[in-house]
Amino acid sequence: MIGARSIAEPTIKNTVIHRMDPRAKILILISTAFVAVTLDNPETMLLLFLIILSGFALARMPAIKLKTLALLLVLLIWGTIYSQALFYSQLPRTVIFTIISPDFPFMGWLTNGGLFVYEEGLRHGAIQGLRSASILSLGLLMCWTTDSRDMLNGLVGLRVPYSVAFMVVTAVRFLPIIITEVLTVVTVQRLRGFNPKRFGSGIVRTSLNILTPTLSNCVRRTGTLAVSIQSRAFRANPDRTYLKKLKFSELDKAMVTACIFAAISIVIIKLLYNMYTSGIYYTSGLRPVYAIARGYL
């Protein structure tokens, strides 16, 4: 139970990733999200994904968090590829494997013409999976290497209203508590004879029995938290002081500048290329830009 709770809590160490300014981490995350959404080239997306994974090695994440990351990535990428390979609807599409033939009794009619694995669906699913995996990995790296108070200071430093930043950080802090409560309820149910892993009524009954006490505890904790922050004069003074002053290091400035520049450049290049392929705007002077977009982005 302690191990499960530690998955959601940050691991504080003295590495180059942990020492980064929280504002730099947030800006890098936003820039990377724009890049990941804009890219379509699978090789470039794989390179971006590997660069993000190298951050976990630099941060020296504990084994339990690496296993959690691996499990989430396998489920995310495999689920995306599998669903896109089966239900890819765009044309052209090439059938590489038939699961249910259109002539199969009843199932062929039920699946509206059979069920196939499409080559283009596999490729599209791999791209979508890498896109989601990159954003998920970088988000987890930021949460696992940033203390909650630093994250609050970082959001406020980026001109996010203090009440909004406080709610975001509080929601993140509540996550390990909710995980612990769910595991406690599951343990109690096992002691009462329930089998949560049994298919059918076992999963349904366990889910319903988990939901009620977990929601009740969340409401109770939320009320206690509201009374606590109001009793401390949460909005009494608009100007706040902070124990820790944030300061960008030279490495932070360089990484933030490089990420923002790369994100803006890629978005502009892809926009120009899409205008060219859509017949909206074309000029011969931008041929190198079109070549970069076609070959690498």
Side-chain angles (χ1 to χ4, degrees):
M1 188 179 302
I2 296 176
R5 179 172 179 172
S6 65
I7 293 174
E9 293 181 338
T11 302
I12 306 303
K13 294 184 178 179
N14 187 22
T15 67
V16 63
I17 302 296
H18 290 82
R19 290 194 297 269
M20 289 183 65
D21 190 288
R23 295 170 297 178
K25 294 180 182 179
I26 296 172
L27 292 174
I28 291 174
L29 176 63
I30 296 173
S31 303
T32 305
F34 274 99
V35 172
V37 171
T38 307
L39 288 178
D40 291 315
N41 186 279
E43 290 80 9
T44 307
M45 294 198 67
L46 179 61
L47 177 62
L48 174 66
F49 180 58
L50 294 178
I51 292 174
I52 293 174
L53 288 185
S54 65
F56 287 86
L58 294 175
R60 292 180 296 178
M61 283 286 105
I64 186 172
K65 292 188 175 179
L66 294 180
K67 292 178 182 177
T68 303
L69 174 67
L71 177 62
L72 293 176
L73 292 180
V74 168
L75 293 176
L76 176 64
I77 295 176
W78 166 247
T80 306
I81 293 177
Y82 187 72
S83 61
Q84 291 295 328
L86 293 181
F87 304 109
Y88 185 74
S89 59
Q90 299 180 15
L91 297 176
R93 54 185 182 180
T94 307
V95 177
I96 60 175
F97 185 75
T98 301
I99 298 178
I100 299 177
S101 172
D103 301 329
F104 195 85
F106 182 70
M107 293 301 295
W109 168 81
L110 185 64
T111 56
N112 194 22
L115 191 61
F116 308 96
V117 176
Y118 300 102
E119 179 181 352
E120 290 80 5
L122 289 174
R123 177 183 174 86
H124 183 68
I127 294 174
Q128 296 296 332
L130 280 176
R131 179 175 291 128
S132 303
S134 299
I135 300 174
L136 172 67
S137 302
L138 189 57
L140 287 177
L141 180 62
M142 187 190 75
C143 292
W144 285 344
T145 59
T146 309
D147 184 76
S148 301
R149 288 168 295 185
D150 293 338
M151 186 179 295
L152 177 63
N153 291 347
L155 290 172
V156 174
L158 293 174
R159 305 301 181 187
V160 177
Y162 185 85
S163 56
V164 176
F166 182 80
M167 285 190 291
V168 172
V169 175
T170 302
V172 175
R173 290 287 297 171
F174 258 72
L175 185 59
I177 298 174
I178 294 175
I179 292 175
T180 303
E181 290 182 350
V182 169
L183 294 176
T184 302
V185 174
V186 170
T187 302
V188 172
Q189 290 187 353
R190 284 178 173 172
L191 294 176
R192 296 181 60 185
F194 286 99
N195 183 7
K197 296 181 180 179
R198 187 176 60 189
F199 287 100
S201 59
I203 294 179
V204 175
R205 294 179 65 182
T206 303
S207 301
L208 292 176
N209 291 331
I210 287 174
L211 187 62
T212 303
T214 303
L215 285 178
S216 300
N217 283 331
C218 286
V219 172
R220 179 178 57 82
R221 289 181 185 277
T222 303
T224 304
L225 177 64
V227 173
S228 176
I229 61 177
Q230 290 297 337
S231 63
R232 291 171 181 265
F234 180 69
R235 293 182 174 177
N237 298 312
D239 298 328
R240 293 180 176 273
T241 58
Y242 300 93
L243 181 62
K244 184 177 180 180
K245 298 293 183 182
L246 299 180
K247 182 179 181 182
F248 281 113
S249 66
E250 296 300 325
L251 177 62
D252 295 335
K253 295 178 182 176
M255 292 193 65
V256 169
T257 303
C259 290
I260 293 178
F261 177 76
I264 294 175
S265 301
I266 290 174
V267 170
I268 292 175
I269 291 174
K270 288 290 291 187
L271 180 62
L272 292 173
Y273 181 70
N274 290 334
M275 293 174 66
Y276 158 59
T277 55
S278 302
I280 298 175
Y281 177 76
Y282 169 79
T283 176
S284 58
L286 291 177
R287 286 180 178 176
V289 175
Y290 300 147
I292 293 174
R294 185 187 302 110
Y296 302 102
L297 303 182

